[in-house]
Amino acid sequence: MTRATDAADTTDTTKRASTAPDRSEPVHEGHWLRSFARPELWAAAGYDASHHDFAWQHRELARLMSNECPLPPDDVVIEAAMSAMREANFYPNSAWELRNALADFAGVEEDSVILGNGSTEVLDVVTRTFITPGDEAVIPVPTYAFFETQVRLNGGVPVLVPTTADLGFDVPAIRAAVTPRTKLIFLCSPNNPIGRSWTEEEVVAVLETGIPTVIDQAYLECGYGRSFAPLISRFPHLIVTRTMSKAFGLAAVRVGYGLADPAVVDLLLRVRIPFSVSLVGARACLAAVRDPGVLERRRRYISEERDRLFAALSVLPGVVPWPSETNFITIDVTATGRPSADYVAEAKAEQLLLRRVAAHRLAGQYVRVTIGTIEENDRFLEVFSRSVPGTAARGAGASPI
Protein backbone atom coordinates (compact mmCIF):
# COMPACT_ATOMS: atom_id res chain seq x y z
CA MET A 1 0.00 0.00 0.00
CA THR A 2 1.28 3.50 -0.82
CA ARG A 3 1.18 6.43 1.58
CA ALA A 4 -1.92 8.53 1.89
CA THR A 5 0.00 11.34 0.20
CA ASP A 6 3.30 11.43 -1.65
CA ALA A 7 4.11 14.69 0.12
CA ALA A 8 5.24 12.67 3.13
CA ASP A 9 8.21 11.48 1.08
CA THR A 10 9.63 14.98 0.76
CA THR A 11 8.91 16.49 4.17
CA ASP A 12 10.00 15.95 7.78
CA THR A 13 8.92 12.39 8.59
CA THR A 14 9.23 13.02 12.33
CA LYS A 15 6.69 15.83 12.17
CA ARG A 16 4.39 13.66 10.06
CA ALA A 17 4.64 10.58 12.24
CA SER A 18 1.87 11.58 14.64
CA THR A 19 -0.66 11.95 11.80
CA ALA A 20 0.41 8.97 9.69
CA PRO A 21 -2.38 6.42 9.14
CA ASP A 22 -2.28 3.06 10.86
CA ARG A 23 -1.95 0.64 7.94
CA SER A 24 -2.55 -2.40 10.12
CA GLU A 25 -6.18 -1.74 10.96
CA PRO A 26 -8.97 -3.28 8.81
CA VAL A 27 -11.07 -1.21 6.43
CA HIS A 28 -14.15 -0.74 8.64
CA GLU A 29 -16.69 2.09 8.55
CA GLY A 30 -14.40 4.44 10.47
CA HIS A 31 -11.21 3.57 8.59
CA TRP A 32 -9.15 6.55 7.40
CA LEU A 33 -9.36 5.37 3.77
CA ARG A 34 -13.09 6.10 3.71
CA SER A 35 -12.35 9.79 4.22
CA PHE A 36 -10.33 10.00 1.01
CA ALA A 37 -11.28 7.26 -1.45
CA ARG A 38 -14.26 7.46 -3.78
CA PRO A 39 -17.32 6.19 -1.85
CA GLU A 40 -18.66 4.02 -4.66
CA LEU A 41 -15.57 1.78 -4.47
CA TRP A 42 -16.62 0.25 -1.16
CA ALA A 43 -19.66 -1.38 -2.73
CA ALA A 44 -17.61 -2.82 -5.59
CA ALA A 45 -15.45 -5.93 -5.78
CA GLY A 46 -12.19 -6.27 -7.67
CA TYR A 47 -11.79 -8.83 -10.43
CA ASP A 48 -11.14 -12.27 -8.97
CA ALA A 49 -8.27 -13.89 -10.90
CA SER A 50 -7.96 -16.86 -8.55
CA HIS A 51 -9.26 -19.32 -11.14
CA HIS A 52 -6.55 -18.21 -13.57
CA ASP A 53 -3.88 -18.50 -10.88
CA PHE A 54 -5.15 -21.96 -9.97
CA ALA A 55 -4.92 -23.07 -13.60
CA TRP A 56 -1.36 -21.76 -13.93
CA GLN A 57 -0.37 -23.51 -10.71
CA HIS A 58 -1.87 -26.79 -11.93
CA ARG A 59 -0.67 -27.16 -15.50
CA GLU A 60 -1.87 -30.77 -15.57
CA LEU A 61 -5.49 -29.52 -15.69
CA ALA A 62 -7.26 -28.83 -18.99
CA ARG A 63 -8.25 -25.13 -19.14
CA LEU A 64 -11.83 -25.39 -20.37
CA MET A 65 -13.10 -22.54 -18.18
CA SER A 66 -11.90 -19.17 -19.48
CA ASN A 67 -12.78 -19.03 -23.19
CA GLU A 68 -9.17 -19.16 -24.30
CA CYS A 69 -7.96 -20.49 -27.66
CA PRO A 70 -6.40 -23.96 -27.28
CA LEU A 71 -4.04 -23.46 -30.21
CA PRO A 72 -0.69 -21.80 -29.35
CA PRO A 73 0.66 -18.86 -31.41
CA ASP A 74 2.12 -19.56 -34.83
CA ASP A 75 5.88 -19.32 -35.33
CA VAL A 76 5.55 -16.07 -37.28
CA VAL A 77 3.87 -14.46 -34.27
CA ILE A 78 6.43 -15.81 -31.80
CA GLU A 79 9.32 -14.60 -33.97
CA ALA A 80 7.83 -11.11 -34.15
CA ALA A 81 7.50 -10.97 -30.37
CA MET A 82 11.05 -12.20 -29.85
CA SER A 83 12.38 -9.63 -32.31
CA ALA A 84 10.62 -6.87 -30.40
CA MET A 85 12.24 -8.05 -27.17
CA ARG A 86 15.62 -7.11 -28.63
CA GLU A 87 14.44 -3.48 -28.52
CA ALA A 88 12.67 -3.68 -25.17
CA ASN A 89 15.03 -1.10 -23.65
CA PHE A 90 13.10 1.60 -25.54
CA TYR A 91 9.60 2.90 -24.89
CA PRO A 92 7.12 1.54 -27.45
CA ASN A 93 5.77 3.63 -30.28
CA SER A 94 2.06 4.32 -30.81
CA ALA A 95 1.74 1.05 -32.79
CA TRP A 96 0.52 2.92 -35.86
CA GLU A 97 1.32 -0.08 -38.07
CA LEU A 98 -0.98 -2.29 -36.01
CA ARG A 99 -3.71 0.36 -35.96
CA ASN A 100 -3.54 0.65 -39.74
CA ALA A 101 -3.60 -3.12 -40.18
CA LEU A 102 -6.60 -3.46 -37.86
CA ALA A 103 -8.39 -0.65 -39.70
CA ASP A 104 -7.98 -2.60 -42.96
CA PHE A 105 -9.03 -5.82 -41.23
CA ALA A 106 -12.18 -4.23 -39.75
CA GLY A 107 -13.01 -2.08 -42.77
CA VAL A 108 -12.85 1.34 -41.07
CA GLU A 109 -10.78 4.52 -41.40
CA GLU A 110 -7.29 4.49 -39.90
CA ASP A 111 -8.19 7.16 -37.35
CA SER A 112 -11.19 5.11 -36.19
CA VAL A 113 -9.02 2.66 -34.20
CA ILE A 114 -7.91 2.89 -30.57
CA LEU A 115 -5.69 0.21 -29.03
CA GLY A 116 -5.83 -1.01 -25.47
CA ASN A 117 -4.32 -3.46 -23.02
CA GLY A 118 -6.97 -5.96 -23.99
CA SER A 119 -10.46 -4.88 -24.98
CA THR A 120 -11.09 -4.58 -21.24
CA GLU A 121 -8.99 -1.43 -21.17
CA VAL A 122 -10.98 0.04 -24.06
CA LEU A 123 -14.23 -0.77 -22.24
CA ASP A 124 -12.83 0.80 -19.07
CA VAL A 125 -11.79 3.96 -20.94
CA VAL A 126 -15.22 4.24 -22.60
CA THR A 127 -16.98 3.87 -19.26
CA ARG A 128 -14.77 6.46 -17.55
CA THR A 129 -15.29 8.83 -20.47
CA PHE A 130 -19.10 8.75 -20.39
CA ILE A 131 -20.16 7.70 -16.88
CA THR A 132 -20.07 10.04 -13.90
CA PRO A 133 -21.79 9.52 -10.52
CA GLY A 134 -25.56 9.19 -10.97
CA ASP A 135 -25.44 8.49 -14.71
CA GLU A 136 -27.23 5.41 -16.01
CA ALA A 137 -26.09 2.67 -18.36
CA VAL A 138 -28.56 0.23 -19.92
CA ILE A 139 -27.25 -3.34 -19.90
CA PRO A 140 -29.20 -6.31 -21.31
CA VAL A 141 -28.55 -9.35 -19.08
CA PRO A 142 -27.26 -11.98 -18.83
CA THR A 143 -24.06 -10.66 -20.38
CA TYR A 144 -20.40 -9.93 -19.70
CA ALA A 145 -20.23 -8.93 -16.03
CA PHE A 146 -17.45 -6.39 -16.64
CA PHE A 147 -19.97 -3.89 -18.03
CA GLU A 148 -21.89 -3.66 -14.80
CA THR A 149 -18.73 -3.68 -12.67
CA GLN A 150 -17.17 -0.73 -14.47
CA VAL A 151 -20.38 1.30 -14.38
CA ARG A 152 -20.62 0.83 -10.62
CA LEU A 153 -16.94 1.65 -10.08
CA ASN A 154 -17.51 5.00 -11.78
CA GLY A 155 -20.54 5.81 -9.65
CA GLY A 156 -23.02 5.00 -12.37
CA VAL A 157 -26.29 3.11 -12.11
CA PRO A 158 -26.61 -0.08 -14.17
CA VAL A 159 -30.12 -0.47 -15.56
CA LEU A 160 -30.44 -4.20 -16.17
CA VAL A 161 -32.84 -5.42 -18.86
CA PRO A 162 -33.53 -9.19 -18.83
CA THR A 163 -33.76 -11.22 -22.01
CA THR A 164 -37.03 -12.70 -23.16
CA ALA A 165 -38.03 -16.18 -21.97
CA ASP A 166 -36.34 -17.78 -24.99
CA LEU A 167 -33.10 -15.83 -24.39
CA GLY A 168 -33.92 -13.29 -27.08
CA PHE A 169 -32.79 -9.68 -26.80
CA ASP A 170 -35.72 -7.56 -25.63
CA VAL A 171 -35.19 -4.51 -27.83
CA PRO A 172 -38.45 -2.73 -26.87
CA ALA A 173 -37.55 -3.08 -23.18
CA ILE A 174 -34.04 -1.76 -23.85
CA ARG A 175 -35.42 1.29 -25.65
CA ALA A 176 -37.96 1.84 -22.87
CA ALA A 177 -35.19 1.74 -20.25
CA VAL A 178 -33.55 4.86 -21.70
CA THR A 179 -34.03 7.98 -19.58
CA PRO A 180 -32.54 11.49 -19.61
CA ARG A 181 -29.80 10.11 -17.32
CA THR A 182 -28.76 7.35 -19.75
CA LYS A 183 -25.21 7.88 -21.03
CA LEU A 184 -24.33 4.42 -22.37
CA ILE A 185 -25.87 1.21 -23.65
CA PHE A 186 -23.78 -1.98 -23.54
CA LEU A 187 -24.37 -4.85 -25.96
CA CYS A 188 -22.31 -8.01 -26.52
CA SER A 189 -22.35 -9.83 -29.86
CA PRO A 190 -21.84 -12.78 -29.81
CA ASN A 191 -23.03 -12.58 -26.26
CA ASN A 192 -21.30 -14.13 -23.26
CA PRO A 193 -22.72 -16.38 -21.82
CA ILE A 194 -25.67 -16.82 -24.20
CA GLY A 195 -23.51 -17.48 -27.27
CA ARG A 196 -25.79 -15.90 -29.88
CA SER A 197 -25.28 -12.69 -31.87
CA TRP A 198 -27.44 -9.64 -32.30
CA THR A 199 -29.02 -9.08 -35.70
CA GLU A 200 -28.40 -5.86 -37.60
CA GLU A 201 -32.09 -5.00 -37.27
CA GLU A 202 -31.88 -5.32 -33.48
CA VAL A 203 -28.71 -3.25 -33.28
CA VAL A 204 -30.08 -0.48 -35.49
CA ALA A 205 -33.23 -0.30 -33.35
CA VAL A 206 -31.02 0.28 -30.28
CA LEU A 207 -28.80 2.79 -32.08
CA GLU A 208 -31.85 4.81 -33.11
CA THR A 209 -32.16 5.90 -29.48
CA GLY A 210 -29.15 8.16 -30.12
CA ILE A 211 -27.44 6.96 -26.92
CA PRO A 212 -23.70 6.12 -27.14
CA THR A 213 -23.72 2.36 -27.59
CA VAL A 214 -20.89 -0.11 -27.03
CA ILE A 215 -20.99 -3.46 -28.83
CA ASP A 216 -18.39 -5.84 -27.47
CA GLN A 217 -17.49 -8.23 -30.30
CA ALA A 218 -14.66 -10.07 -28.56
CA TYR A 219 -15.90 -13.44 -29.86
CA LEU A 220 -16.65 -12.36 -33.42
CA GLU A 221 -13.80 -14.23 -35.10
CA CYS A 222 -14.63 -17.49 -33.28
CA GLY A 223 -17.28 -18.05 -35.93
CA TYR A 224 -18.60 -16.38 -39.05
CA GLY A 225 -20.86 -13.75 -37.55
CA ARG A 226 -21.62 -10.17 -38.52
CA SER A 227 -19.24 -7.32 -37.74
CA PHE A 228 -21.04 -4.12 -36.78
CA ALA A 229 -18.06 -1.88 -37.50
CA PRO A 230 -19.52 -0.74 -40.88
CA LEU A 231 -22.45 0.85 -38.99
CA ILE A 232 -20.11 3.43 -37.45
CA SER A 233 -20.33 5.58 -40.58
CA ARG A 234 -24.12 5.79 -40.11
CA PHE A 235 -24.15 5.98 -36.33
CA PRO A 236 -21.19 7.97 -34.97
CA HIS A 237 -22.29 7.17 -31.42
CA LEU A 238 -21.49 3.47 -31.97
CA ILE A 239 -18.32 2.04 -30.39
CA VAL A 240 -17.26 -1.52 -31.27
CA THR A 241 -14.67 -3.37 -29.18
CA ARG A 242 -12.65 -6.33 -30.45
CA THR A 243 -9.72 -8.34 -29.12
CA MET A 244 -6.70 -10.41 -30.07
CA SER A 245 -7.31 -12.68 -27.07
CA LYS A 246 -9.98 -15.07 -28.35
CA ALA A 247 -9.83 -16.44 -31.90
CA PHE A 248 -6.35 -15.02 -32.55
CA GLY A 249 -5.16 -16.95 -29.49
CA LEU A 250 -3.09 -14.15 -27.92
CA ALA A 251 -4.78 -13.70 -24.54
CA ALA A 252 -1.51 -13.35 -22.60
CA VAL A 253 -0.25 -10.65 -24.96
CA ARG A 254 -3.06 -8.32 -23.80
CA VAL A 255 -4.02 -6.37 -26.91
CA GLY A 256 -7.54 -5.28 -27.79
CA TYR A 257 -8.97 -2.43 -29.81
CA GLY A 258 -11.94 -0.18 -30.24
CA LEU A 259 -13.56 1.03 -33.46
CA ALA A 260 -15.41 4.33 -33.43
CA ASP A 261 -15.94 7.65 -35.14
CA PRO A 262 -12.63 9.59 -35.24
CA ALA A 263 -14.05 12.28 -32.93
CA VAL A 264 -14.90 9.59 -30.36
CA VAL A 265 -11.45 8.00 -30.70
CA ASP A 266 -9.81 11.39 -30.16
CA LEU A 267 -11.76 11.83 -26.93
CA LEU A 268 -10.99 8.31 -25.69
CA LEU A 269 -7.27 8.81 -26.33
CA ARG A 270 -7.31 11.69 -23.85
CA VAL A 271 -8.45 9.28 -21.16
CA ARG A 272 -6.34 6.22 -21.98
CA ILE A 273 -2.94 6.04 -20.29
CA PRO A 274 0.11 6.22 -22.62
CA PHE A 275 2.11 3.11 -23.52
CA SER A 276 -0.60 0.71 -22.39
CA VAL A 277 0.22 -1.56 -25.35
CA SER A 278 3.76 -2.95 -25.29
CA LEU A 279 6.06 -3.13 -28.30
CA VAL A 280 6.11 -6.92 -27.92
CA GLY A 281 2.32 -7.08 -27.97
CA ALA A 282 1.99 -4.70 -30.91
CA ARG A 283 4.55 -6.57 -33.05
CA ALA A 284 3.10 -9.99 -32.23
CA CYS A 285 -0.42 -8.87 -33.11
CA LEU A 286 0.74 -7.15 -36.29
CA ALA A 287 2.26 -10.43 -37.48
CA ALA A 288 -0.98 -12.25 -36.66
CA VAL A 289 -3.21 -9.75 -38.48
CA ARG A 290 -0.97 -9.67 -41.55
CA ASP A 291 -1.08 -13.46 -41.98
CA PRO A 292 -4.68 -14.48 -42.87
CA GLY A 293 -3.90 -18.11 -42.14
CA VAL A 294 -3.28 -17.39 -38.45
CA LEU A 295 -6.92 -16.51 -37.85
CA GLU A 296 -8.58 -18.75 -40.39
CA ARG A 297 -7.01 -21.93 -39.01
CA ARG A 298 -8.29 -21.06 -35.56
CA ARG A 299 -11.71 -19.93 -36.72
CA ARG A 300 -12.26 -23.17 -38.64
CA TYR A 301 -10.99 -25.34 -35.80
CA ILE A 302 -13.10 -23.61 -33.13
CA SER A 303 -16.25 -23.68 -35.28
CA GLU A 304 -15.97 -27.35 -36.22
CA GLU A 305 -15.12 -28.53 -32.70
CA ARG A 306 -17.89 -26.38 -31.21
CA ASP A 307 -20.44 -27.92 -33.57
CA ARG A 308 -19.18 -31.41 -32.73
CA LEU A 309 -19.51 -30.84 -28.98
CA PHE A 310 -22.93 -29.25 -29.40
CA ALA A 311 -24.22 -32.26 -31.31
CA ALA A 312 -22.89 -34.68 -28.70
CA LEU A 313 -24.33 -32.69 -25.79
CA SER A 314 -27.74 -32.34 -27.44
CA VAL A 315 -28.51 -36.06 -27.13
CA LEU A 316 -27.81 -36.28 -23.38
CA PRO A 317 -30.99 -36.59 -21.27
CA GLY A 318 -31.96 -33.39 -19.48
CA VAL A 319 -29.04 -31.47 -20.98
CA VAL A 320 -29.77 -28.34 -23.01
CA PRO A 321 -26.73 -26.80 -24.73
CA TRP A 322 -27.31 -23.32 -26.09
CA PRO A 323 -26.47 -22.74 -29.77
CA SER A 324 -23.26 -20.73 -29.88
CA GLU A 325 -21.23 -18.63 -32.30
CA THR A 326 -18.33 -18.35 -29.85
CA ASN A 327 -15.52 -20.56 -28.53
CA PHE A 328 -17.68 -21.86 -25.68
CA ILE A 329 -20.99 -23.61 -25.07
CA THR A 330 -23.24 -22.80 -22.13
CA ILE A 331 -25.11 -25.88 -20.94
CA ASP A 332 -28.39 -25.82 -19.02
CA VAL A 333 -28.31 -28.81 -16.64
CA THR A 334 -31.40 -27.86 -14.63
CA ALA A 335 -33.51 -30.72 -16.00
CA THR A 336 -30.91 -33.31 -14.97
CA GLY A 337 -31.79 -32.64 -11.34
CA ARG A 338 -28.17 -32.02 -10.39
CA PRO A 339 -26.63 -28.64 -9.49
CA SER A 340 -24.05 -27.16 -11.82
CA ALA A 341 -21.49 -27.19 -8.99
CA ASP A 342 -21.54 -31.00 -9.02
CA TYR A 343 -20.63 -31.14 -12.71
CA VAL A 344 -17.79 -28.67 -12.21
CA ALA A 345 -16.45 -30.55 -9.18
CA GLU A 346 -16.58 -33.94 -10.91
CA ALA A 347 -14.83 -32.57 -13.97
CA LYS A 348 -12.13 -31.05 -11.75
CA ALA A 349 -11.56 -34.43 -10.15
CA GLU A 350 -10.89 -35.69 -13.67
CA GLN A 351 -8.43 -32.82 -14.33
CA LEU A 352 -10.86 -30.70 -16.36
CA LEU A 353 -11.59 -27.10 -15.38
CA LEU A 354 -15.12 -25.98 -16.31
CA ARG A 355 -17.00 -22.82 -15.35
CA ARG A 356 -20.18 -22.68 -13.32
CA VAL A 357 -22.01 -19.72 -14.85
CA ALA A 358 -23.17 -17.54 -11.98
CA ALA A 359 -21.41 -14.21 -12.49
CA HIS A 360 -23.32 -12.93 -15.52
CA ARG A 361 -26.76 -12.32 -13.98
CA LEU A 362 -27.81 -15.78 -15.07
CA ALA A 363 -30.07 -17.52 -12.57
CA GLY A 364 -30.28 -21.29 -12.73
CA GLN A 365 -28.00 -24.30 -13.14
CA TYR A 366 -25.56 -23.73 -15.98
CA VAL A 367 -22.11 -24.99 -16.90
CA ARG A 368 -19.88 -23.35 -19.51
CA VAL A 369 -17.23 -25.29 -21.40
CA THR A 370 -14.54 -23.69 -23.55
CA ILE A 371 -13.54 -25.41 -26.78
CA GLY A 372 -10.21 -27.11 -26.10
CA THR A 373 -7.94 -29.43 -28.03
CA ILE A 374 -9.48 -32.48 -29.68
CA GLU A 375 -8.17 -34.67 -26.87
CA GLU A 376 -9.52 -32.31 -24.19
CA ASN A 377 -12.91 -32.11 -25.90
CA ASP A 378 -13.14 -35.90 -26.14
CA ARG A 379 -12.22 -36.20 -22.48
CA PHE A 380 -14.82 -33.57 -21.53
CA LEU A 381 -17.59 -35.41 -23.37
CA GLU A 382 -16.64 -38.67 -21.68
CA VAL A 383 -16.52 -37.19 -18.17
CA PHE A 384 -19.58 -34.96 -18.57
CA SER A 385 -21.67 -37.80 -20.01
CA ARG A 386 -20.86 -39.97 -16.99
CA SER A 387 -22.08 -37.18 -14.71
CA VAL A 388 -25.50 -36.95 -16.36
CA PRO A 389 -28.05 -39.22 -14.64
CA GLY A 390 -29.37 -41.96 -16.89
CA THR A 391 -26.50 -41.77 -19.35
CA ALA A 392 -24.16 -44.69 -19.88
CA ALA A 393 -20.46 -43.84 -20.09
CA ARG A 394 -19.54 -43.10 -23.65
CA GLY A 395 -16.58 -41.93 -25.61
CA ALA A 396 -16.42 -39.30 -28.29
CA GLY A 397 -15.31 -39.97 -31.79
CA ALA A 398 -12.28 -38.20 -33.11
CA SER A 399 -12.88 -34.94 -34.88
CA PRO A 400 -12.69 -35.08 -38.66
CA ILE A 401 -10.49 -31.99 -38.85
Side-chain angles (χ1 to χ4, degrees):
M1 180 182 295
T2 58
R3 300 190 179 193
T5 173
D6 292 336
D9 294 330
T10 58
T11 56
D12 184 355
T13 55
T14 301
K15 183 171 64 176
R16 293 275 181 171
S18 63
T19 58
D22 180 1
R23 298 173 183 80
S24 63
E25 66 177 270
V27 184
H28 50 68
E29 283 299 323
H31 195 281
W32 65 269
L33 269 174
R34 293 183 179 271
S35 299
F36 296 94
R38 290 161 44 203
E40 59 268 17
L41 297 184
W42 302 111
Y47 179 77
D48 183 3
S50 59
H51 60 295
H52 292 291
D53 290 344
F54 183 85
W56 280 105
Q57 292 161 4
H58 297 273
R59 300 298 292 271
E60 74 278 8
L61 303 179
R63 302 169 63 122
L64 304 182
M65 78 299 182
S66 293
N67 301 346
E68 299 157 328
C69 180
L71 307 181
D74 285 17
D75 288 344
V76 65
V77 176
I78 295 173
E79 290 166 5
M82 292 178 63
S83 176
M85 278 300 300
R86 298 187 180 96
E87 300 179 274
N89 53 310
F90 298 119
Y91 283 109
N93 54 44
S94 68
W96 70 87
E97 292 175 298
L98 178 58
R99 292 202 316 273
N100 293 345
L102 288 171
D104 289 341
F105 175 70
V108 298
E109 304 174 43
E110 293 177 358
D111 54 357
S112 288
V113 180
I114 178 173
L115 300 177
N117 191 263
S119 57
T120 47
E121 185 191 22
V122 180
L123 291 167
D124 172 64
V125 167
V126 170
T127 308
R128 288 190 288 123
T129 299
F130 288 95
I131 297 294
T132 58
D135 291 335
E136 295 178 350
V138 175
I139 307 174
V141 291
T143 194
Y144 185 31
F146 191 75
F147 303 151
E148 181 180 348
T149 298
Q150 295 311 108
V151 170
R152 292 191 187 279
L153 284 173
N154 286 279
V157 180
V159 179
L160 308 179
V161 179
T163 59
T164 59
D166 61 351
L167 297 176
F169 303 119
D170 195 340
V171 175
I174 293 169
R175 290 170 59 98
V178 172
T179 74
R181 300 190 73 90
T182 306
K183 294 296 183 64
L184 280 176
I185 299 174
F186 285 96
L187 310 181
C188 186
S189 183
N191 187 45
N192 178 20
I194 293 177
R196 62 152 286 196
S197 296
W198 287 70
T199 66
E200 182 171 344
E201 181 182 13
E202 291 170 329
V203 167
V204 168
V206 173
L207 290 171
E208 286 174 345
T209 64
I211 303 297
T213 299
V214 179
I215 305 181
D216 179 15
Q217 295 209 272
Y219 295 96
L220 178 64
E221 292 89 6
C222 293
Y224 298 89
R226 167 84 159 83
S227 167
F228 293 115
L231 291 177
I232 293 171
S233 60
R234 287 174 54 195
F235 301 96
H237 53 290
L238 169 62
I239 303 166
V240 175
T241 58
R242 306 265 283 271
T243 187
M244 303 298 294
S245 296
K246 303 301 181 183
F248 277 99
L250 296 172
V253 172
R254 306 309 305 131
V255 176
Y257 57 104
L259 307 170
D261 183 84
V264 175
V265 170
D266 177 69
L267 185 63
L268 298 178
L269 287 172
R270 304 180 194 190
V271 179
R272 193 200 67 178
I273 64 172
F275 303 130
S276 65
V277 174
S278 72
L279 185 69
V280 174
R283 294 272 180 84
C285 291
L286 179 61
V289 174
R290 282 179 169 172
D291 185 344
V294 169
L295 175 61
E296 287 311 311
R297 280 188 294 274
R298 287 162 174 75
R299 192 202 306 261
R300 183 174 64 252
Y301 173 84
I302 291 168
S303 298
E304 293 181 1
E305 278 295 282
R306 179 189 63 234
D307 293 346
R308 181 171 76 94
L309 262 64
F310 181 86
L313 291 167
S314 297
V315 300
L316 298 179
V319 172
V320 182
W322 292 350
S324 174
E325 300 172 59
T326 66
N327 64 343
F328 63 81
I329 299 174
T330 295
I331 310 163
D332 184 349
V333 296
T334 305
T336 68
R338 303 192 67 205
S340 58
D342 285 359
Y343 289 93
V344 173
E346 290 170 9
K348 184 178 178 181
E350 298 284 351
Q351 299 192 326
L352 301 171
L353 295 178
L354 305 179
R355 192 73 174 268
R356 175 176 171 269
V357 185
H360 300 278
R361 295 282 179 179
L362 183 62
Q365 301 301 316
Y366 303 92
V367 176
R368 192 184 69 193
V369 59
T370 301
I371 305 306
T373 64
I374 293 175
E375 294 76 14
E376 290 169 342
N377 295 337
D378 288 346
R379 180 67 175 148
F380 159 73
L381 289 175
E382 176 191 351
V383 171
F384 188 84
S385 296
R386 280 195 267 112
S387 296
V388 176
T391 303
R394 68 186 69 188
S399 170
I401 66 174

